[in-house]
Each structure stands twice: as structure tokens, then as C-alpha cells.
Amino acid sequence: MQLPRDRAESSFRSKLLLLVLPLILMWVLECANFLAGGALGQFGIAPRSASGLYGIFFAPFLHASFAHLIANTPPYLILGWLVVQRRNSEFVWVSLIAAVVAGIGTWSVAPADTLHVGASGVIFGYLGFLLSRGYFERSLSSILLSIVIGAIYGSLLWGMLPGQSGISWQGHLFGFTGGVIAARMLARNNASEEVRAR
């Protein structure tokens, strides 16, 4: 029989692994990309290119440079940790929905002959999820978390506006949209589970 403390430690470890393993992959791939002279960048999202569709799944793990990855690491860890707190499955769904919506949106509207890489679409997905979860769930804890996240990370929303050189605002905008979609879908799912439990 597993004691409450053992369960808590096991849950903590599983959440930490779920969050950190993708980040480790990002760092491994960036090291490989550096050694390969940036050759892995070709697997990013190439708008309206058939081969560029693969980038929808590869781009979140690839980065343009170590500086790019270093800039993405803290918000990924902080926002991702807040998302994974309730359920591991919730973290997986938010990550997948944000990545796919960000990828498809970027592939569809970004300028031709550009390549888009980086985890920022997923990070903005976490932001969109955390900011909108309070609205969809209408629980006090979710609303308070949304307010706190808005106060701390609200300035990131400027990253969804066009005009910043070298920034894939399309990935940010559609990643955020994916996070909002995930919040809506998961709020419905949680509400259905509560009804069935009764």
C-alpha cells in the first residue's frame, strides 16, 4: 500500500519528468544542430510547403541558436509547471493542441521562404491556457491563477503582434489560440466528468 507521502513524491517525479524530458530533447537537438552547422533548421515549419508540414511536429523541439533556447527555457519551465499541476494528461493535451494549432497557423499565414522553429508557440499555448482557464472553468482558484499569470506574464502578449524582426509572431498568436482552445475543451471535459461522478 502506497502512503500519501509516497504518492505525493511519485506524482511530483512524474510531473517533473513529463515537463523536463521534452526540454532535455530540445537541448540535445540544439547541441546536435550546432555541431551540424545549423542543418536541423531545415526541419522547421516552411510555410505552404508540403515538406514544411513535418515542421509542425519538429519545430517545437528545434531552435535557431543557444540564445533562442536559453530565452525559451525559463518560461517553458514556469508556465509548463503550472499547467502540469492538476493532471499529467492535461499537460499533454495542452502541449499537443498548442503545438498543432501554432504549427498549422504558422504554415498557413507566415511569409513564404521562411523557416520557423522554437518552443515559443507551445509556451504561448500555456499562457493562453492559463489566462483563459479561469473564464471557462469559473472556479475561484482558476480565476485567481489567471489574474496572477496576467499580471506577471501579460507583457508577453506583445509578442503576438507583427513587426518584430526575427520573431515568429504567427507562432505566438496561433499557439496562444491553441491554448485557449485547449482550455475550452478541457473545461467541458472536466464538467462532464463531474456530472458523471454525481
Side-chain angles (χ1 to χ4, degrees):
M1 179 178 176
Q2 203 174 30
L3 297 174
R5 181 177 176 180
D6 294 333
R7 283 198 298 269
E9 288 178 359
S10 177
S11 174
F12 175 81
R13 284 195 298 269
S14 69
K15 291 178 188 302
L16 190 61
L17 278 174
L18 191 60
L19 178 66
V20 171
L21 285 177
L23 184 62
I24 291 172
L25 178 58
M26 292 177 207
W27 277 93
V28 169
L29 287 174
E30 185 52 36
C31 289
N33 193 38
F34 176 77
L35 294 173
L40 295 184
Q42 65 182 308
F43 297 105
I45 298 169
R48 289 170 302 287
S49 160
S51 62
L53 285 169
Y54 295 112
I56 292 172
F57 302 99
F58 296 143
F61 300 100
L62 302 171
H63 288 79
S65 65
F66 280 111
H68 185 200
L69 179 53
I70 289 168
N72 276 344
T73 295
Y76 169 83
L77 287 173
I78 295 168
L79 295 175
W81 183 247
L82 292 172
V83 173
V84 81
Q85 283 311 294
R86 280 201 307 200
R87 295 186 186 98
N88 291 0
S89 60
E90 194 162 89
F91 174 81
V92 172
W93 277 113
V94 175
S95 300
L96 285 174
I97 293 169
V100 170
V101 174
I104 292 173
T106 301
W107 186 87
S108 300
V109 307
D113 301 318
T114 58
L115 274 172
H116 299 255
V117 294
S120 55
V122 174
I123 292 167
F124 271 80
Y126 296 157
L127 180 62
F129 175 77
L130 292 167
L131 285 177
S132 61
R133 192 170 75 178
Y135 173 79
F136 291 120
E137 293 184 0
R138 307 294 170 90
S139 70
L140 180 60
S141 60
S142 295
I143 291 170
L144 288 175
L145 180 60
S146 295
I147 292 170
V148 170
I149 293 298
I152 297 172
Y153 284 101
S155 61
L156 286 181
L157 298 177
W158 292 108
M160 297 190 297
L161 298 177
Q164 301 176 66
S165 178
I167 301 295
S168 179
W169 64 268
Q170 299 92 346
H172 296 174
L173 175 61
F174 286 103
F176 185 91
T177 302
V180 174
I181 291 170
R184 177 59 175 151
M185 290 174 60
L186 291 169
R188 281 182 175 178
N189 185 57
N190 292 337
S192 299
E193 286 181 0
E194 287 179 9
V195 170
R196 285 197 298 270
R198 291 174 193 162

